Amino acid sequence: INAEYGDLKVTAMGCCSSEESKESDKQFDAMDTDGNATVSKAEFAAYINDDKHKMLDNVVMTAQLNLNVPEERCRELAVNVAMRLACGGTDKEMTRKQFHEFRARYVENPKGNQTFMHRCVFEAYDKDSNGVLDAAELDAYLGVYFDGTFVRKEDPRLAKLDKDKLTQHVRANMDKDSNGLLDFDEIHALISGEIDLARIGESGHAED
């Protein structure tokens, strides 16, 4: 599994009820259209894009609302993130066990579902899908804090904050290995809203 998605290792099925396990099996069987006991990205996407199946609809709708991009693009983001979380890459095949673990951790679990959403935001700006935001990608992402996409322009938290100051804060405080690239873990606190934007504006740094 790619390092940036290395938090997959869980014992999720150990806490699932028999009914949840049956539903998970039912969904996997519906996705595995060629019957080879694994699910490809194409099979997973076909299932997710079928109006009859609602498994990722809340993630898709939330992404559409927050990112202001078409539903089709949001579904693509959700599929790519799901495949990476479940089996380590969009070019890999998802096993039944991997799907069970993914579903338990990132679909049924509210906290995991929120993390899934945050990863979709990261995926939207990681244009080359290499797991990090370079200077141009970071610039595009930070821009949404000031164009009304993520935060209302009249939000008081932005009163003393501009894009340059936010960029300086991110580079100085969040690029932990100082390589000029931001991976998901490094920038997650900003994506999740844990960072105090007003404090950055006031003093150039946020509270720990």
Side-chain angles (χ1 to χ4, degrees):
I1 296 176
N2 293 343
E4 64 268 24
Y5 290 95
D7 57 356
L8 174 64
K9 296 180 181 179
V10 294
T11 56
M13 289 305 292
C15 62
C16 291
S17 70
S18 59
E19 287 302 313
E20 288 173 330
S21 296
K22 289 178 182 177
E23 180 61 23
S24 189
D25 276 330
K26 181 179 177 182
Q27 288 179 335
F28 184 87
D29 290 338
M31 288 187 286
D32 181 20
T33 54
D34 61 6
N36 71 340
T38 61
V39 171
S40 66
K41 176 184 174 181
E43 288 175 317
F44 187 75
Y47 182 88
I48 296 305
N49 292 328
D50 189 326
D51 290 339
K52 298 193 300 291
H53 307 302
K54 309 295 183 182
M55 185 171 63
L56 298 185
D57 276 7
N58 65 322
V59 171
V60 171
M61 288 186 291
T62 303
Q64 188 175 9
L65 178 65
N66 284 277
L67 297 173
N68 195 28
V69 298
E71 179 182 343
E72 182 179 356
R73 172 58 175 157
C74 291
R75 290 189 178 278
E76 179 184 5
L77 293 171
V79 167
N80 287 342
V81 170
M83 292 299 292
R84 291 194 179 98
L85 287 172
C87 56
T90 57
D91 59 340
K92 301 182 184 298
E93 300 263 328
M94 187 191 310
T95 66
R96 185 181 298 270
K97 180 177 184 291
Q98 288 171 335
F99 174 68
H100 287 336
E101 292 175 342
F102 163 76
R103 183 178 181 275
R105 182 161 190 174
Y106 294 106
V107 178
E108 298 301 320
N109 181 281
K111 184 176 180 179
N113 195 250
Q114 189 173 51
T115 298
F116 186 5
M117 177 62 230
H118 296 159
R119 287 192 178 277
C120 287
V121 172
F122 184 89
E123 177 81 10
Y125 292 94
D126 180 17
K127 298 300 184 181
D128 53 9
S129 298
N130 67 344
V132 293
L133 301 184
D134 60 26
E137 292 167 336
L138 178 64
D139 184 70
Y141 169 65
L142 296 182
V144 301
Y145 286 86
F146 302 95
D147 66 5
T149 300
F150 279 6
V151 184
R152 291 180 295 108
K153 292 182 178 181
E154 64 274 18
D155 192 301
R157 292 175 296 171
L158 301 182
K160 296 184 179 181
L161 181 65
D162 58 26
K163 187 178 176 183
D164 286 342
K165 183 174 283 189
L166 181 58
T167 300
Q168 290 170 8
H169 169 81
V170 169
R171 293 199 175 283
N173 298 280
M174 304 184 79
D175 182 9
K176 300 302 184 183
D177 52 10
S178 301
N179 66 348
L181 305 171
L182 278 295
D183 63 26
F184 176 78
D185 290 333
E186 288 175 318
I187 203 166
H188 184 215
L190 183 60
I191 295 175
S192 66
E194 296 173 26
I195 295 293
D196 187 342
L197 296 177
R199 184 165 176 79
I200 296 175
E202 290 284 352
S203 60
H205 61 83
E207 292 180 346
D208 295 329

